[in-house]
Amino acid sequence: MQLQRKSGGAPIAGGLTASLARGIHSAAFGATMDRRSFLKRSGIGVGAGAAVAGLSTGMMTPAAKAQQASGAKAEVRRTVCTHCSVGCAIDAVVENGVWVRQEPVFDSPINLGAHCAKGASIREHGHGEYRLKTPMKLVDGKYQRISWKQALDEISAKLDAIRKESGPDSVFWVGSSKHNNEQAYMMRKFVSFYGTNNMDHQARICHSTTVAGVANTWGYGAMTNSYNDMQNTKCALYIGSNAAEAHPVSMLHMLHAKETGAKMIVVDPRFTRTAAKADEYVRIRSGTDIPFLFGLLHHIFKNGWEDKKYINDRVYGMDKVREEVMTKWTPDKVEEACGVSEAQMAKVAEMFAKNRPSTIVWCMGQTQHTIGNAMVRASCILQLALGNIGVSGGGANIFRGHDNVQGATDVGPNPDSLPGYYGLAEGSWKHFSAVWGVDFDWIKERFAPGMMSKSGMTVSRWVDGVLEAKGVSDQPNPLRGVVFWGHAPNSQTRGLDMKKAFDKLDLLVVVDPYPSATAAMAAMPGDAKDLNPNRAVYLLPAATQFETAGSCTASNRSIQWREKVIEPLFESMPDHTIMQAFADRLGFGEQLSKNFKLTSFQKHGVEWREPEVESVLREINRGIWTIGYTGQSPERLKLHMKHMNTFDVKSLRANGGPCDGDYFGLPWPCFGTPELKHPGSPNLYQTDRHVMEGGGNFRANFGVEREGVSLLAGDGSHSKGAEIQTGYPEFTADMLKKLGWWDDLTEDEKKAAEGKNWKTDLSGGIQRVAMKHGCHPFGNAKARAVVWNFPDPVPVHREPLYGNRPDLMAKYPTHDDKNKFWRLPTLYKTVQQKNIADGLEKKFPIVLTSGRLVEYEGGGEETRSNPWLAELQQDSFVELNPRAANDRGIRNGEYVWVSTPTGARMKVKALVTERVSADHAFMPFHFSGWWQGKDMKAFYPEGAAPIVRGEAVNTGTTYGYDSVTMMQETKTTICQIEKATA
């Protein structure tokens, strides 16, 4: 991937790494062996084992040896990598408060002692010299250092003034998927007490379409199985996922599966590093996932490969899907739409259908489209047709992006739900009023009239919340303030419009360990007519996750506990401590921390009150019954981290030891109270296990019947040991009474459960009794192949708003425009038809898509500030096919201009490669720090600019949003590429 290397060095020949490599290849081990097993059998110590992981042995000296060498006291603190969602565990070695080295945890059942490049260099994220070190304020175009007291007082005063003048909805809060669960939960609570639902975080621009599509199909919007369970698959279909770069360590489990005969199919417009490992690579036209998936179903139905009994007993509406597939997605139509031949479609369909259990993996390649929700549901339908959901080795393995995007989505600042996906209805607010110990009417008075039950704007559209005139949006006033609390702006589309919005604001606050591109974009001069002369911009240094403790949820729903590695460096403070400081100044500090233990101390000239993280998790345990965040107490999580070695690598289950019977990380749902000792649920909807063994079935969340057809599961489709052996609705107090199970509750439980259901009973009694009788608290229903409450009940292929095939845009048109959608008007057909009429495909003939690199993460500010990673990839680039390059006189490594219909022009290096087809191009989305050919280093705070800077692809990405979730369109737009002459 590298275009230019500015320093070099020969690899070390021989030595321990080479010796071990020779030993591994020559050893007569019969079966595939993970690193943990290898080390135990070979007797090699951890220090040597580090070499097996491909890391420098100098960085990996065991703690005991380090102590002997330096004479200092060495401590080992266990944490979790803060990059992608795999959840790799790390042992950090600390001497006299200084993090001196690290070791991958060989006992971790998730990463098995492995690291990717980002994980191997994680220490630099904590000790990085390019961090934001002090509070700062933008004054006359330059950032100046200010005190914490000045920053807290001035920002609080401005937030209070905006709230009084324009209402609480005039401030938008952008949370973070880097926050731990406790901080994400606190932020949802904090912003609720400020009085608005105008909050969001990264999930809106990575997997909101997954959450909506999957939850509306079978009940929960999350990955159904686990990375580890992929070792049990016989065939894996990756579509829109480049796991080898985006989730490198996850590939260990897939490669183990391949070594035992599993097939691997990769479907992507681009030949990725993941595709290089595939048995079958399928190149599709960007944005045509539904034609491909329904094309597979055509062959499956035609050959009778579907699981008929499974469909009959556990799926609603498959007959309507079958009708759509067999009439509209014949092989010729599939080839026309996505470019895949009938022969290859038939081959892939047979491979996937005849090698079961088979699993499907998707990521942002499938979600970030105007029809992302429909693409997700097409993937779900494929798995339902084959009976692959609820079985080990099957499932929908949906790899999340950031380390805690799953947890932040589960418990954090979503604009359309309270923690645990409780809706915004009055009953949900009353439930959390009881959990929080505050009066419901007090919370209600904090909101503007009528806004408490209304979903907020989304992070993908806050820009329009600023730029649209008063009266256009469905709230009293436009946005005047935005708080970026751990979020990269270059991960959002329409960069030119974002710059205008930054300039127009009254207040912009950035809370982050690194200043992010927000700081540079705000300081960079823009159009004078857009600039608000009264604008105030502040930067606040947040601590990293290595400078605090707390839990984080990996993509497979396992929750891990991070120990604090080091004390906050420079003048940084933990996010939850900053939240408490603002709450105290805004008048609701006592309400925010009513149930938390607080530690008071003075630092940096301020009296702080820090909530105890364990107290926050206990409150999460007390209230979030819907998705089973109730059983994972701090004590249970810490015990798992201490005894990782007792968990099986394939099943994730502890075999003996103090965690015996638990699944690693107590993957949610972990129902009931911690004392009930539910083991967690590694594979959702698995009926061959008892509910108290992690088993389950599809959730009864969509009613009992539809148009006279039962939505409950058929006879015999119950989880193992259930006393109700047919479908049944969710459990309520009344249902317990009708079943004669009410007296199984204690007297205290009866008092708490009266008039409640399994989601709102704070005693947990309803859940406990349901599971005592082998039943799932959320009922037992059929999954929905037809989602009648979505714009397209059966998924429909619709071409993107910006495309290079006007013939297909006319044949498969987009949605009609929407008014007041997530508070804002949202255009579809108007934009698409204008683009066709203007002949944009002639000016911009190349489809532009984007994605990840192994070296960087997210917006890239922290990883591009890491000297170890910055060395690996020093330039932003665009991949283009040799034919496209030759037609334009472009040579590999030359600078080119990438222009888009927004008017943006991005100067990057050309990477000429067959990875992309002649009419497609690819740019990574981790870069920022250049703006249309100009380096922005001067606009960062002094000493806090990232080492590597480059053009952000989202400076030029175009308008387009999912029709259900407002997910942004990043994977299919159009561009022109020209050689840069200057």
Side-chain angles (χ1 to χ4, degrees), residues 680-733:
S681 307
N683 299 334
L684 296 177
Y685 321 119
Q686 191 164 346
T687 58
D688 63 359
R689 292 178 180 168
H690 192 282
V691 66
M692 282 301 293
E693 296 291 317
N697 39 249
F698 294 132
R699 182 177 175 184
N701 199 34
F702 315 110
V704 175
E705 68 172 23
R706 172 76 175 172
E707 297 176 344
V709 177
S710 176
L711 298 176
L712 299 180
D715 292 348
S717 294
H718 57 87
S719 53
K720 183 178 179 181
E723 293 181 23
I724 304 175
Q725 298 191 357
T726 187
Y728 50 88
E730 64 179 7
F731 275 80
T732 64

Side-chain angles (χ1 to χ4, degrees), residues 162-163 165-171 195-196 198 447-452 454 457 465 468-480 820 823:
I162 291 174
R163 189 177 186 279
E165 293 165 11
S166 303
D169 293 297
S170 293
V171 177
T196 184
N198 268 340
F447 282 78
M451 303 305 288
M452 189 178 190
K454 187 173 290 186
M457 290 184 190
E468 293 283 10
K470 182 174 181 178
V472 173
S473 62
D474 191 15
Q475 65 176 45
N477 290 291
L479 297 178
R480 293 178 53 194
K820 310 296 186 186
R823 300 197 184 186

